[in-house]
Amino acid sequence: MADGRHNLSDVLSLILAWGAMILARKPATERYTYGFRSTSILTALANAMLLLIVCGAIAWEAFERFWHAPVVAGATVAWVAAAGIIVNGLSAWLFVKGSRGDLNIRGAYLHMTPDAAISLGVLALSTAIIFMGCIGSTQLSV
């Protein structure tokens, strides 16, 4: 559930970044003499706030797991982590070029890169769970 919420926040952040990038390209008008370039900065702020909310939810769930440890399905976790490496790694690679000129794109890049690394760590740990004989519904409290 935590990873699902985290990935949902990633998708929402990317949608916000994409929308801000489009708005930032709009020319200045009589009313908006600076144009919409500040949209990128405000979206970066919104993304940071969204990330803090999701981190709080993940921390709360982690705290609850100390008392109610779930069953870990190593193979499922491994497949999800492998998909996370591919998706986050590809996303980071797509953002690397624009990360130097736009704060919003840089924030997305700096978010996707560690996510790919974390997914690599999760893949390694889920592989260890599988090789320790805890496949499928065999219980391993984490």
Side-chain angles (χ1 to χ4, degrees), residues 46-59:
N47 278 333
M49 291 180 1
L50 177 65
L51 185 61
L52 288 174
I53 291 168
V54 171
C55 284
I58 291 171

Side-chain angles (χ1 to χ4, degrees), residues 3 7 75-85 119 122:
D3 194 39
N7 288 332
T76 303
V77 173
W79 281 108
V80 171
I85 292 169
S119 293
V122 171

Side-chain angles (χ1 to χ4, degrees), residues 9 18 30 45-46 49 56 63 74 77 83 88 98 115 124:
S9 75
W18 177 67
E30 189 174 308
L45 176 64
M49 291 180 1
F63 185 73
V77 173
N88 290 320
D115 280 356

Side-chain angles (χ1 to χ4, degrees), residues 79-134:
W79 281 108
V80 171
I85 292 169
I86 293 167
V87 171
N88 290 320
L90 181 62
S91 297
W93 179 71
L94 290 172
F95 283 122
V96 73
K97 183 178 178 182
S99 67
R100 290 174 185 85
D102 184 273
L103 178 65
N104 207 19
I105 293 175
R106 182 163 177 77
Y109 167 72
L110 291 174
H111 186 107
M112 293 297 143
T113 304
D115 280 356
I118 290 167
S119 293
L120 182 63
V122 171
L123 179 62
L125 290 173
S126 62
T127 303
I129 289 171
I130 292 169
F131 285 120
M132 287 176 20
C134 302

Side-chain angles (χ1 to χ4, degrees), residues 1 3 22 24-25 28 37 41 52 64 73 102-103 106 122 126 138-139:
M1 291 300 292
D3 194 39
I22 290 171
R25 291 182 181 166
R37 288 188 283 171
I41 295 168
L52 288 174
E64 286 184 338
D102 184 273
L103 178 65
R106 182 163 177 77
V122 171
S126 62
T138 302
Q139 289 201 5

